[in-house]
Amino acid sequence: MFPAQGLRRPVLIGIPPGKKTSGQIFIIILNKPLKGNKCQIFLYLVDYQPNYLSMPNYTLNINGEDKNFPDVPEDMPLLWVIRDLAGLTGTKYGCGQALCGACTIHLDGKPIRSCVLPIKNIKDQKITTIEGISEDGDHPVQEAWQEARVPQCGYCQSGQIMSAVALLESNPNPSDQEIADFMKGNICRCGTYARIREAIKLAAKS
Amino acid sequence: MQDQNKLNLKRRDFLKVGAISSTGLILGFQVSCKPKVLDAGPLVEMQANAYIGLNNRGMVQIVVHRSEMGQGVRTSLPMILADELEADWDKIEIIQAPGDEETYGNQNTDGSFSVRMFYEPLRKAGAGARMMLEQAAADIWEVDVKECKAKEHHVHHSSGKKLAFGELVEAAKKLEAPKEEAIKLKDSKDFKFIGKGPRLLDGKDMATGQAKYGLDTQIEGMQYAMIKRCPVVGGKIKSYDAKKAEAMPGVNKVFTLDSPDFPSGFDKPLGGVVVVADNTWAAWKALDAIEVEWEFGPNGNYDTDQYLDDLEVKVKKDGVVKRESGNVKQSLMNADQVLTAVYRIPHSSHSPMEPPCAVAEVKGNVCEIWAPTQNPEWVKGSVAGALATALEKKPEEIKVKVNVTLLGGGFGRKSKPDFVVEAAMISKEVGTAVKLTWKREHDVQHDFYHACGVQQIKVAIDQDNKVKAWNHQTIFPPIGGTASPQAIQPSDGELGLGFVDFPFEVENICCETNEARAHTRIGWVRSVSNIQHAFATCSMMDEIAEARQMDAIDNALDMLGKDRIFPIKDLVESYSNYNEPIEDFPWETARFRKVIEMVRDKSGWGEELAKGEAWGFAAHRSFLTYVAAVVKVKVDDKNKVTIPEVHYAVDCGKVINEERVKSQFEGGAVFGTSIALKSAITFKEGRAQQSNFNNFQVARHGEDPQKIAIYLVPSEAKPTGVGEPPVPPIAPAIANALYQITGKRHRTLPIDLKA
């Protein structure tokens, strides 16, 4: 980066104090060489990342579209990338510890709790959110959900549907016990479990 | 009533409701389910009244002024309007009203009364709008309005011709809304929606991730905030170190909000260290990096084991009498048989799936809010008050607009304005819109909890096998203790929730209470003190049945006595009857009898069951609705409890939205199951020991009642609430069933057979 000409203790100045986020800044380096009176001034335009954490750019495939996310801390859970950065709010926050299932998305079709999946752990898998499981809300599970009038407050339903879709893809005709075992990671405080079972069985028939 | 007067407002007054945009919508925060707009040409709109707008594209805009938290008001209230209006269900758009009780009437959505309060007024609003359309058609056709009848989004003339609603808007716009006395309601036999339950208006949005909740709000320039609060209520910051947090990427500001003295009420923030950042994760990480030294304050030693032990000692002593007849003490002394039981229930938290959150944007004296609030008017007042203090102005000088979003669950948590005031204070500090998020840990650890408490019931049975005395004492820290240090005893209001209104015929009755101070914030959780009172009363009724060697339901019917109006108001100094005059909603034992008989007859009660299975019964009136429940409970060889069946018989007066009534009972059965078997918040050293859904447990798939049957009593009586009534009978019914299997009376919640 620096011309190799007898540099001794370059002085780094020009970083604005208190700058927290990354960006591009000017760096001015003054150097007085060992020999001679001339002062060397080097001007650089560099990317500044003050944090010890790596904040690279990420590209994720979400609902069939590649989306670029610059300067994201590598430990940011996918949930917050989806909600705060991509603006897709269908995936919900309920607990942040993979205890409630509200944040369920699909990674290459498999149900995953996005609240505990750091962005750095995503390779090139395809991410599907509730917004992406059908063109017009007409996935058989979504249609069954409407026919059975499942939702009450509706907040947990994105996660419930994502889990249900995955269940039916792996087990097209589940029993009540199989439904309970697969779905028990998805909490519904309003208590729509009975109708979720009904909708899953309805969707299984179609 | 205030509401009825709205209907006489002239057309011009309704424009005060809000600007009508060019797309024909009143500006509310959320618009959902927008069906296709037909036709070209200039848009013509009219506002028939505060709740109904129409345009010449044929669309009807219905304003819903109550908060939607899953109870279905955004379908049930439009149903009432649409039925009287004769509107096509597919041509309705709903608009959520901002906080404005002056225009819309009561917007405090708790206490199970949306339909109860607004059924009649909304019928009139719908009918009034219909009459304007019929008059408009009569004017256009130059005929007598008596020959014009609205039906299915058209007005028909007796000759056969018809005009669509959209075609009538221009003419109807010129008319005045009819006076209340002149309004003609539909014949109930002509109801299309009322009594049944149409497609959920929000159903598609909720199944496709399009429904927008408070936490989903995104405003231009918005920053994200979180607060680190003292783990002990009433504590304050001694010192804090935020250097690491401030240096983290995306963190913009760290500052403190003052912590008020305890008790501080329902609308004052607890205070603490605030982080404001570029996104939720940045705020989250920064919050974790902040170190705080706390002064824990007066509640630093709160230990619920000790507290409840102390109440258990106190409950056995004489208390403050709230209802008395005959001489209970003497009767107990002389009794042939005395039954005694002490019941103990823990705190629990509301914990809706969407934690408390709010977006606020303060610009000078003006604050706009987007929040999942159950009570927008209280939010307005509290935010105005808090900002007035902060800005050194008078509350009247602060303008607050509250946009009510969908609520990802409420259960009473989101009635309290505290979390919205927090957002407003932070926005004022940083000068941009701010989204404040409560993490689940914050929700579980800083809730306004359901009060923990202890009860004792003593019953005397004489040699004629009659119940001669009922002595019930209840002690719990009152809700008022959250706001006032003088509130150190359960209030008459809380005692009116299933305690003093014991309806059974017993000669000697004494209902007592005693002092208990609050050491945390106490709130109102779905059905409130009905939870503990029904648990104790219905459990003891089961013990009485056993002692009298009677079937539990036969015993309840026997003790209920002759059908009568239970004269509760004559028996106690104060009985609020859920804020309704007792003449309008009397305590009718005949209706209680009917649901008890109905659940007995329809549920399978009494049928032989396999080993490890048993029936349990409980019946309770709350929020003016009569509910009787029979549950079938199963215990396996590993002591795991499951609930194969719950049967409810319900008298909630006239059923308006049958489908949503049933969904509330289905959901309430699950909520009650959580209370019975899973949920507890315990305190040690002043702080809640639970933090998330791993240690604060709620019923999950498989733990819920597997089959729920609901039998509704057909009724033309005034509609009463269904949001809360399903909850109280479930825990005692489960406890009563478990007794049959385990041989033990379970008097402490949550019931843990493995303990």
Side-chain angles (χ1 to χ4, degrees):
Chain A
M1 185 168 137
F2 301 110
Q5 270 178 11
L7 277 174
R8 186 179 70 182
R9 289 216 302 226
V11 174
L12 196 70
I13 55 177
I15 298 174
K19 176 97 175 142
K20 302 295 180 294
T21 54
S22 65
Q24 292 187 313
I25 56 158
F26 286 103
I27 295 182
I28 303 165
I29 299 175
L30 289 175
N31 181 50
K32 197 167 181 311
L34 292 166
K35 285 201 168 104
N37 288 328
K38 288 203 186 118
C39 222
Q40 290 173 313
I41 297 176
F42 301 99
L43 201 67
Y44 291 93
L45 190 64
V46 298
D47 284 309
Y48 176 67
Q49 288 175 2
N51 192 28
Y52 55 93
L53 251 187
S54 179
M55 304 225 328
N57 294 350
Y58 290 96
T59 300
L60 301 178
N61 185 280
I62 302 180
N63 298 330
E65 220 183 283
D66 278 343
K67 281 181 159 26
N68 192 42
F69 300 101
D71 309 324
V72 176
E74 61 182 16
D75 67 348
M76 184 183 284
L78 179 61
L79 173 66
W80 302 113
V81 177
I82 291 172
R83 287 183 58 82
D84 291 351
L85 305 185
L88 293 168
T89 57
T91 309
K92 305 301 188 196
Y93 166 71
C95 71
Q97 288 192 35
L99 296 165
C100 79
C103 67
T104 308
I105 51 99
H106 291 172
L107 210 56
D108 280 347
K110 276 179 50 192
I112 297 284
R113 312 298 186 209
S114 62
C115 70
V116 293
L117 176 62
I119 194 172
K120 76 175 194 287
N121 288 2
I122 302 169
K123 314 293 176 234
D124 51 6
Q125 295 117 312
K126 298 210 182 311
I127 297 164
T128 315
T129 70
I130 184 71
E131 292 92 340
I133 60 159
S134 68
E135 270 295 316
D136 190 34
D138 53 3
H139 189 289
V141 170
Q142 290 172 308
E143 302 226 324
W145 236 250
Q146 289 175 74
E147 196 179 320
R149 295 183 229 191
V150 179
Q152 288 181 30
C153 87
Y155 190 79
C156 76
Q157 302 288 303
S158 300
Q160 303 277 358
I161 289 170
M162 296 306 279
S163 292
V165 169
L167 164 62
L168 288 171
E169 277 169 11
S170 67
N171 182 351
N173 200 8
S175 66
D176 281 358
Q177 189 58 54
E178 288 167 333
I179 293 173
D181 290 340
F182 195 96
M183 299 290 292
K184 67 173 183 271
N186 286 86
I187 296 178
C188 174
R189 196 73 169 114
C190 295
T192 65
Y193 300 125
R195 296 217 190 172
I196 291 173
R197 268 195 298 284
E198 190 190 320
I200 288 174
K201 290 192 269 198
L202 209 61
K205 284 204 202 93
S206 69
Chain B
M1 270 214 302
Q2 197 190 2
D3 314 297
Q4 267 91 329
N5 293 335
K6 300 288 168 287
L7 304 169
N8 294 330
L9 287 177
K10 292 200 174 55
R11 180 184 50 83
R12 220 191 302 273
D13 291 322
F14 295 109
L15 296 178
K16 281 197 209 137
V17 162
I20 297 182
S21 76
S22 61
T23 56
L25 302 169
I26 306 161
L27 285 173
F29 167 65
Q30 175 158 323
V31 177
S32 65
C33 34
K34 278 166 65 155
K36 292 201 200 71
V37 169
L38 313 153
D39 305 329
L43 183 72
V44 180
E45 301 150 311
M46 68 171 285
Q47 200 62 34
N49 52 56
Y51 308 104
I52 297 177
L54 299 108
N55 67 31
N56 64 344
R57 304 275 188 267
M59 298 305 299
V60 173
Q61 292 96 28
I62 290 183
V63 177
V64 175
H65 66 294
R66 309 282 291 169
S67 298
E68 176 62 78
M69 64 194 96
Q71 82 285 45
V73 283
R74 278 169 59 99
T75 294
S76 303
L77 300 183
M79 254 171 78
I80 300 167
L81 289 157
D83 213 323
E84 286 289 351
L85 177 58
E86 279 292 333
D88 184 336
W89 193 246
D90 291 330
K91 295 202 169 77
I92 293 173
E93 295 168 316
I94 344 168
I95 293 155
Q96 190 70 36
D100 182 357
E101 285 190 337
E102 206 187 304
T103 302
Y104 300 107
N106 186 305
Q107 292 180 281
N108 172 20
T109 317
D110 75 2
S112 305
F113 67 84
S114 291
V115 169
R116 187 201 328 161
M117 184 179 274
F118 288 100
Y119 178 55
E120 292 294 337
L122 293 182
R123 282 192 72 184
K124 289 180 182 158
R130 183 193 78 233
M131 289 168 69
M132 288 169 79
L133 295 168
E134 287 167 345
Q135 184 63 59
D139 291 347
I140 290 172
W141 289 323
E142 291 175 337
V143 299
D144 192 327
V145 71
K146 289 199 197 68
E147 298 164 14
C148 305
K149 200 167 155 68
K151 196 174 154 78
E152 288 169 11
H153 229 78
H154 290 76
V155 175
H156 297 254
H157 185 244
S158 45
S159 69
K161 59 187 170 185
K162 66 179 184 192
L163 282 166
F165 280 2
E167 297 172 290
L168 295 163
V169 167
E170 186 127 27
K173 223 175 132 115
K174 305 184 184 117
L175 302 173
E176 270 188 31
K179 298 239 180 312
E180 199 190 323
E181 313 82 74
I183 289 178
K184 291 194 199 63
L185 298 178
K186 250 169 118 162
D187 205 313
S188 58
K189 68 166 168 41
D190 297 329
F191 283 151
K192 250 179 88 168
F193 309 126
I194 294 173
K196 300 162 189 92
R199 170 180 62 82
L200 296 178
L201 284 171
D202 287 320
K204 183 163 182 182
D205 285 346
M206 288 176 176
T208 55
Q210 297 307 311
K212 297 276 183 273
Y213 299 83
L215 197 63
D216 302 328
T217 307
Q218 308 200 294
I219 301 296
E220 185 81 41
M222 185 176 82
Q223 296 187 79
Y224 295 73
M226 285 197 179
I227 304 177
K228 203 174 190 82
R229 303 172 187 83
C230 183
V232 180
V233 169
K236 296 176 199 241
I237 299 169
K238 201 147 96 181
S239 68
Y240 73 102
D241 182 354
K243 280 195 286 302
K244 234 176 30 177
E246 279 164 328
M248 291 169 86
V251 174
N252 302 326
K253 188 159 188 176
V254 178
F255 65 100
T256 62
L257 276 181
D258 279 344
S259 294
D261 290 336
F262 177 84
S264 57
F266 302 97
D267 60 357
K268 298 226 177 354
L270 287 173
V273 184
V274 183
V275 172
V276 183
D278 288 343
N279 56 62
T280 311
W281 185 242
W284 181 311
K285 296 272 325 221
L287 208 72
D288 284 346
I290 295 174
E291 303 195 359
V292 187
E293 218 191 313
W294 301 103
E295 248 160 35
F296 290 118
N299 298 312
N301 292 324
Y302 186 41
D303 178 317
T304 42
D305 281 344
Q306 186 60 60
Y307 184 81
L308 291 172
D309 285 348
D310 292 345
L311 290 190
E312 232 180 275
V313 170
K314 195 186 275 195
V315 85
K316 294 172 176 150
K317 307 198 169 117
D318 286 344
V320 175
V321 174
K322 288 291 177 175
R323 176 183 165 189
E324 186 162 41
S325 51
N327 190 333
V328 138
K329 310 291 179 196
Q330 193 168 76
S331 177
L332 285 167
M333 267 199 312
N334 299 335
D336 206 55
Q337 193 184 1
V338 172
L339 306 175
T340 308
V342 172
Y343 302 91
R344 192 159 157 144
I345 68 149
H347 287 296
S348 66
S349 77
H350 306 77
S351 293
M353 288 315 294
E354 177 199 38
C357 56
V359 175
E361 186 170 33
V362 175
K363 288 182 182 157
N365 284 8
V366 176
C367 176
E368 189 163 5
I369 303 277
W370 295 260
T373 174
Q374 294 175 236
N375 194 335
E377 199 68 34
W378 197 3
V379 166
K380 274 165 79 173
S382 300
V383 167
L387 288 176
T389 307
L391 296 167
E392 288 173 359
K393 294 205 157 20
K394 297 201 202 76
E396 312 83 79
E397 296 176 79
I398 312 288
K399 287 186 122 46
V400 183
K401 174 165 187 214
V402 178
N403 300 294
V404 178
T405 68
L406 283 180
L407 282 69
F411 312 118
R413 174 60 183 98
K414 294 168 179 168
S415 297
K416 290 87 170 169
D418 64 303
F419 59 98
V420 190
V421 173
E422 287 174 338
M425 298 296 283
I426 299 169
S427 173
K428 177 241 158 219
E429 181 71 26
V430 299
T432 66
V434 166
K435 174 186 284 184
L436 169 71
T437 301
W438 280 49
K439 285 172 64 174
R440 179 59 56 195
E441 288 79 3
H442 304 160
D443 164 66
V444 173
Q445 300 191 312
H446 305 297
D447 194 27
F448 293 80
Y449 301 99
H450 179 76
C452 64
V454 171
Q455 298 168 80
Q456 176 177 259
I457 303 182
K458 284 171 120 148
V459 169
I461 299 177
D462 73 8
Q463 63 261 54
D464 293 334
N465 207 26
K466 279 188 87 63
V467 175
K468 264 318 195 346
W470 171 273
N471 185 192
H472 187 173
Q473 182 166 158
T474 183
I475 315 180
F476 53 89
I479 293 169
T482 304
S484 162
Q486 274 82 47
I488 54 171
Q489 185 176 290
S491 65
D492 287 344
E494 288 159 291
L495 298 175
L497 305 182
F499 176 67
V500 292
D501 58 339
F502 175 79
F504 299 96
E505 287 197 318
V506 177
E507 205 179 295
N508 303 285
I509 292 181
C510 181
C511 301
E512 305 171 86
T513 188
N514 214 323
E515 284 182 8
R517 278 169 206 277
H519 294 291
T520 185
R521 298 189 300 184
I522 307 294
W524 47 97
V525 177
R526 194 176 187 183
S527 77
V528 203
S529 25
N530 283 294
I531 289 173
Q532 62 262 38
H533 296 147
F535 178 60
T537 300
C538 300
S539 295
M540 179 48 93
M541 288 294 287
D542 200 71
E543 291 203 44
I544 292 172
E546 191 189 21
R548 297 179 78 203
Q549 297 179 317
M550 289 174 80
D551 168 280
I553 291 185
D554 289 344
N555 172 67
L557 293 172
D558 177 66
M559 284 177 67
L560 194 57
K562 287 192 331 287
D563 289 347
R564 68 202 186 287
I565 303 289
F566 170 45
I568 175 65
K569 283 248 160 144
D570 299 340
L571 300 170
V572 298
E573 214 177 280
S574 129
Y575 179 66
S576 103
N577 199 37
Y578 300 93
N579 295 320
E580 293 287 358
I582 195 85
E583 311 77 58
D584 292 348
F585 292 91
W587 214 125
E588 298 176 78
T589 67
R591 292 172 78 176
F592 202 36
R593 165 179 302 282
K594 180 135 193 196
V595 294
I596 294 172
E597 288 170 344
M598 196 179 212
V599 83
R600 174 195 62 195
D601 297 339
K602 293 190 179 225
S603 62
W605 170 261
E607 277 170 18
E608 263 305 308
L609 292 175
K611 186 170 189 304
E613 287 187 353
W615 298 108
F617 161 76
H620 192 76
R621 171 190 184 263
S622 70
F623 302 90
L624 311 169
T625 292
Y626 303 84
V627 179
V630 160
V631 306
K632 183 197 279 188
V633 172
K634 181 172 168 173
V635 182
D636 72 6
D637 51 10
K638 295 193 188 70
N639 263 353
K640 187 172 105 162
V641 180
T642 52
I643 309 188
E645 294 174 27
V646 167
H647 300 260
Y648 280 111
V650 180
D651 182 346
C652 58
K654 185 177 179 67
V655 173
I656 305 306
N657 187 339
E658 177 179 321
E659 188 277 325
R660 286 290 95 178
V661 166
K662 289 190 166 171
S663 68
Q664 285 302 285
F665 276 85
E666 292 162 14
V670 179
F671 204 89
T673 300
S674 296
I675 288 170
L677 300 174
K678 315 248 9 161
S679 307
I681 299 283
T682 54
F683 281 73
K684 274 228 173 330
E685 291 174 15
R687 65 206 72 192
Q689 296 186 287
Q690 291 75 23
S691 57
N692 208 312
F693 289 121
N694 47 355
N695 43 36
F696 176 67
Q697 302 220 346
V698 299
R700 291 172 179 270
H701 277 281
E703 297 171 334
D704 61 310
Q706 294 300 289
K707 180 182 124 181
I708 305 170
I710 298 139
Y711 317 111
L712 300 173
V713 172
S715 170
E716 287 300 312
K718 295 201 238 286
T720 55
V722 296
E724 292 163 284
V727 176
I730 294 298
I734 291 175
N736 293 338
L738 284 173
Y739 171 70
Q740 300 296 327
I741 301 168
T742 66
K744 276 178 34 205
R745 288 287 174 191
H746 303 279
R747 299 175 180 145
T748 296
L749 293 181
I751 300 169
D752 181 4
L753 294 191
K754 300 198 176 100

